[in-house]
Amino acid sequence: MIHPLSGATLNRLPDASVPAIPKYSYSSILNDAAKISWQVQDLIGDDRPLDFSKAFLPETIAHTQGISCLTSDEQLILNQIRGNSYLHLFGLVEEFILPLVVNHVQFIGCETIEATQAYLCFAQEESKHINLFRQFATAFARGFGFRCEVIGPPRTIADFVLQHSQLGVALVTLHIEWMTQRHFLDSIHSNQDEPLDRQFCSLLKHHWQEEAQHARLDTLMVQDLAQKLDDVAIESAIDDYIAIVQYLNEGLKTQVQLDIASLEIPIARTLTATETEEIRQVQEFSYQKGFLISGMTHPNFMQTVQELSPAGYARIAAIANTFSSSDG
Ligand SMILES: [Fe+2]
Ligand SMILES: [Fe+2]
């Protein structure tokens, strides 16, 4: 299906069973992690300012250029507001991923020391990412000049997520880490045409460099946790994953309302009800595609879920398709 907003092919879950998950090893993940050595100050700071004459997010993530009620300047401002919300949303999810990983280190102990090392490295990198997103958000606030509201506080959202089973939260984390790959590979790596802000491109690239290890560790974490559970507990974890996705979906819808309110200030006009409705429809689908569908339909996420529970896989596929068809 070609979506009219993006011009991109929507990823549909295949009907046939998907291939088996490749076997990841802690030693190869550790080796790959050791090759990455960037620091937050390498990506953002006084000598690396954001360029507010450019878009921050690729059109395949922000979906602002097709909004007919906005001028091109107003579309650019909305794109930058989306850039700011991207920083906050990722900073927010990292705040429940970090305790999940720290808990898992305690759970596995030191029996397989390479696993312990790999998860500790994962936790250290996620805390660096929280700092990365905060530093970018500070640079945004300084340069944009207008206050943009975001959902939260992150602690409240993390508390809601973390009250679910560890396997349910691990599945959400797996979804998010593979989604990060799509944000880089689909929208930056193979996209040389859009004149985007260099620092944001760098953020997406460097974040994915480390998420590539995290996604493989999440896969191992999910397999490890599931091994100790019976079928009923696994289905309950799928329930948890779905409950968290639905909760995040409601949060994204709220974020759309906040983005529209934030937009009215720098564009210095009040949007009509018709204009607001057009933006709401386009942006709700945009957030769902970028943050929910892209994770739920990532082939590696699908493989892991199908291995865990074919019935759970079918339920998640059905919800992804509901999101895919809910635009407009
Ligand atoms: Fe991260
Ligand atoms: Fe991560």
Side-chain angles (χ1 to χ4, degrees):
M1 169 186 170
I2 304 295
H3 189 265
L5 296 177
S6 65
T9 303
L10 280 178
N11 298 288
R12 291 288 187 178
L13 292 162
D15 296 322
S17 56
V18 289
I21 306 165
K23 192 80 188 140
Y24 300 131
S25 81
Y26 291 111
S27 60
S28 69
I29 293 169
L30 273 171
N31 282 340
D32 289 341
K35 294 173 195 159
I36 315 290
S37 62
W38 59 265
Q39 300 302 315
V40 172
Q41 60 268 27
D42 301 332
L43 274 55
I44 192 75
D46 290 342
D47 56 338
R48 289 176 174 76
L50 300 174
D51 181 353
F52 283 86
S53 71
K54 300 221 169 89
F56 289 171
L57 290 179
E59 179 61 13
T60 53
I61 296 180
H63 299 104
T64 61
Q65 292 172 14
I67 299 175
S68 64
C69 67
L70 298 179
T71 66
S72 57
D73 284 349
E74 291 170 343
Q75 291 168 0
L76 176 66
I77 292 170
L78 182 57
N79 179 297
Q80 292 172 349
I81 290 170
R82 286 291 309 271
N84 180 61
S85 83
Y86 189 94
L87 300 172
H88 282 276
L89 290 170
F90 260 95
L92 183 153
V93 297
E94 306 276 21
E95 290 201 29
F96 64 74
I97 294 174
L98 180 57
L100 170 79
V101 178
V102 170
N103 283 342
H104 194 63
V105 170
Q106 290 176 332
F107 175 70
I108 63 171
C110 300
E111 203 172 304
T112 308
I113 200 63
E114 282 187 324
T116 310
Q117 259 185 290
Y119 286 114
L120 285 171
C121 180
F122 182 168
Q124 191 272 334
E125 287 168 356
E126 290 300 31
S127 58
K128 181 174 75 173
H129 297 174
I130 293 172
N131 188 22
L132 173 74
F133 288 114
R134 285 181 185 171
Q135 294 296 324
F136 264 78
T138 300
F140 178 91
R142 201 184 302 129
F144 191 66
F146 300 92
R147 186 174 169 79
C148 295
E149 297 294 340
V150 288
I151 58 170
R155 183 64 189 265
T156 304
I157 294 171
D159 285 348
F160 172 85
V161 171
L162 291 170
Q163 72 187 352
H164 294 83
S165 65
Q166 227 180 338
L167 180 56
V169 181
L171 285 169
V172 173
T173 304
L174 182 71
H175 159 144
I176 291 167
E177 316 268 30
W178 285 123
M179 179 183 90
T180 313
Q181 181 196 48
R182 279 202 158 143
H183 289 179
F184 173 64
L185 291 183
D186 293 357
S187 61
I188 299 289
H189 185 259
S190 55
N191 173 11
Q192 307 302 322
D193 301 330
E194 281 184 272
L196 300 170
D197 171 64
R198 285 183 54 188
Q199 305 331 323
F200 255 84
C201 292
S202 169
L203 170 96
L204 292 170
K205 175 183 158 190
H206 287 90
H207 190 218
W208 166 242
Q209 281 181 349
E210 294 186 337
E211 297 299 312
Q213 281 66 256
H214 301 180
R216 287 181 282 163
L217 284 169
D218 291 332
T219 307
L220 291 167
M221 189 195 298
V222 164
Q223 291 168 340
D224 200 22
L225 291 169
Q227 253 182 8
K228 298 168 178 68
L229 300 175
D230 61 19
D231 289 348
V232 173
I234 287 174
E235 289 313 311
S236 173
I238 300 280
D239 289 342
D240 286 345
Y241 166 82
I242 291 170
I244 296 167
V245 163
Q246 302 285 20
Y247 174 78
L248 295 176
N249 183 41
E250 291 307 310
L252 295 174
K253 288 181 181 175
T254 303
Q255 187 59 54
V256 170
Q257 302 289 349
L258 296 174
D259 289 352
I260 293 171
S262 300
L263 175 65
E264 286 184 320
I265 303 166
I267 68 174
R269 69 185 178 95
T270 303
L271 296 160
T272 66
T274 307
E275 289 171 331
T276 299
E277 182 57 17
E278 183 194 357
I279 299 170
R280 186 194 66 75
Q281 284 189 15
V282 172
Q283 287 295 299
E284 274 191 11
F285 177 72
S286 176
Y287 272 103
Q288 284 180 335
K289 179 174 182 284
F291 290 93
L292 302 177
I293 299 169
S294 64
M296 298 167 93
T297 63
H298 192 293
N300 296 356
F301 175 78
M302 293 190 299
Q303 284 169 5
T304 298
V305 175
Q306 190 170 54
E307 192 177 89
L308 213 60
S309 159
Y313 168 86
R315 290 165 63 206
I316 292 170
I319 293 168
N321 283 333
T322 304
F323 288 147
S324 301
S325 59
S326 66
D327 58 305

